[in-house]
Amino acid sequence: LEKAAEARRTRAEIKELLRTGTITFGEVLTRAETESMIGGLKLKSVLESLPGLGKIKTKRLLESLEIDGSRRLRGLGDRQRQALMTELG
């Protein structure tokens, strides 16, 4: 239970840092490669946390890049990562 609570806290912290602009999407992707708790975040929820992207824009972005919104950060392929980085700057 403690491990699950820690994971939830970490994930909530990452989303908040994204919302405030303290860290970038690229930094989150980089950390997801080495940190399993961040790697477990769903792509859709991370994108929705970014300033300027809500549910609708996130849905359209994922559809245009042909990426399933239920993917987790650690499950993204190299091309998908590159496409997201290109779109999000």
Side-chain angles (χ1 to χ4, degrees), residues 6-24:
E6 181 184 345
R8 282 191 298 274
R9 273 193 302 275
T10 301
R11 291 174 181 157
E13 181 182 309
I14 291 295
K15 289 179 191 177
E16 184 60 32
L17 290 173
L18 279 169
R19 257 185 223 102
T20 60
T22 307
I23 61 173
T24 65

Side-chain angles (χ1 to χ4, degrees), residues 71-82:
R71 295 283 258 176
R72 299 199 182 265
L73 293 180
R74 70 173 154 250
L76 290 173
D78 290 334
R79 282 191 222 141
Q80 291 172 329
R81 287 174 187 267
Q82 190 59 41

Side-chain angles (χ1 to χ4, degrees), residues 47-64:
L47 292 176
E48 288 173 356
S49 299
L50 289 170
L53 281 182
K55 291 180 187 275
I56 301 299
K57 287 183 182 178
T58 296
K59 182 179 177 188
R60 288 182 184 152
L61 172 65
L62 292 174
E63 285 175 356
S64 72

Side-chain angles (χ1 to χ4, degrees), residues 35-51:
E35 299 177 40
S36 63
M37 288 186 197
I38 296 173
L41 279 165
K42 289 202 175 184
L43 175 61
K44 184 177 176 182
S45 68
V46 171
L47 292 176
E48 288 173 356
S49 299
L50 289 170

